[in-house]
Amino acid sequence: MNPLPSQTRRPILLGLGIMLVAFNMRPALTTVGPLLERIRAETGLTAAGVAFLTTLPVLCIGLACTLGPLVIRRLGADRGVLLSVAIVALGSGLRGFGGTAPLFVGACLAAFGIGLSGVLLPGLVKRDFPGQTGVVTGLYTMVLCLGAAAGAGLSVPLADRLGGWPTALALWAVPAVLATLAWLPFAKARETVAGAARPRSLWRDPLAWQVTGFMGLQSSLAYIMFGWLPLVLHNRGLSAIDAGFVSSLMSIGQAPAALLVPSFAARVRDQRGFAAGLLGLCILSLVALVYGPLAWALPIGMALGAGLGGLFGLGLTIIVLRARDPGAAGNLAAMSQSVGYTVASLGPLSFGLVHDLTGTWTASTVLFCAIAAGAFLCSLGAGRDRYVGKA
């Protein structure tokens, strides 16, 4: 059999490289939730400290997103991805030193790398896979969700086997190092995303703000669940291992929806129906987990994951669909994720503080539903067949 021509082989290899990077875009976030009780007991963190531990990384993601266009102009998108995944590896490994300082610094560093890669990947997809944006976005979003599932499900067993939470958290530097090495061949060329101009014009664009609002609010729902669902279920009576397992299944449930929703959403002109259905599924699933029988926690957790994964994939797809070219996609990704993740960071913090103030999960559940309603309102504009930068 003849080897694949170079013009075919590079996109395939590039696609595989994107998948490896995507796998490392969530474990640094999902590995902490199942270990919160253990971390809190060993470090003496207060409830407010735990809330900030789940909030600061999301803020760092937002900060990193603001630097996306600058990185594209200075380094190129390909070298920027190499830098981002290397930072994820560094931050993940730093957590292995134990103690609150390495934990917080490592979490923030890893989140910074995650945010930077999140801005760069949509532009790469628009540049290298212009005819398959929905499929490729769905694939890397699915792999991202599988990475989240692996982090959530393996955290407690690894901590038990390796003698503590620091080593278990640090172990997630290994796949990030492998992704860094795998991306090296693509970082040799100084390629940039065309049109990577400063995104100032988007700040006065109503559609860009609607996309930003949808991206931020739906992300807030996911980060609330990443940080707090294991503790919610543990307080309801599940063991730490079982609660972590449900959280892992939630992340696994994200994968099929993250693959399918972008593929279907990219084929239609209007994505508002997808947003409404997925947000409704998230609300019903969380209410069932908080108030329903624990015997149904596993399938309901997977349903919640399907809603969250579909929303995340839809958000990334909308960024690509609302942009005319790779440069606009990069700029819209930078705006929607920098502002969006800053907004999203308030979700886990508010969810935890409301619980501490009331002593129950009822008010926190109401807050979750209100955030979902806000995401729906933003989707009414973001889901329309329009382009940013145009009247």
Side-chain angles (χ1 to χ4, degrees), residues 53 64 69 152 171-172 195 208 216 219 240 344-345 347 363 368:
L53 180 59
L171 191 64
W172 292 97
S219 296
S345 69
F368 183 93

Side-chain angles (χ1 to χ4, degrees), residues 29-129:
L29 304 173
T30 61
T31 49
V32 174
L35 296 172
L36 273 178
E37 286 290 347
R38 194 174 303 192
I39 292 172
R40 189 172 182 175
E42 294 184 15
T43 62
L45 276 179
T46 63
V50 171
F52 278 110
L53 180 59
T54 61
T55 299
L56 285 177
V58 187
L59 281 173
C60 290
I61 291 176
L63 175 62
C65 290
T66 64
L67 301 179
L70 176 63
V71 170
I72 292 173
R73 291 194 299 271
R74 296 293 179 86
L75 298 179
D78 302 285
R79 291 185 176 183
V81 170
L82 177 68
L83 174 64
S84 68
V85 73
I87 292 174
V88 173
L90 176 62
S92 298
L94 186 60
R95 301 184 300 178
F97 287 95
T100 55
L103 176 63
F104 274 82
V105 174
C108 290
L109 271 178
F112 191 91
I114 289 170
L116 189 56
S117 61
V119 169
L120 299 174
L121 289 182
L124 285 177
V125 171
K126 190 80 171 181
R127 182 194 73 186
D128 293 301
F129 304 94

Side-chain angles (χ1 to χ4, degrees), residues 331-359:
N331 290 337
L332 182 58
M335 175 181 172
S336 63
Q337 294 187 54
S338 61
V339 177
Y341 283 128
T342 301
V343 172
S345 69
L346 301 177
L349 177 64
S350 302
F351 192 87
L353 292 179
V354 167
H355 169 68
D356 286 340
L357 289 174
T358 62

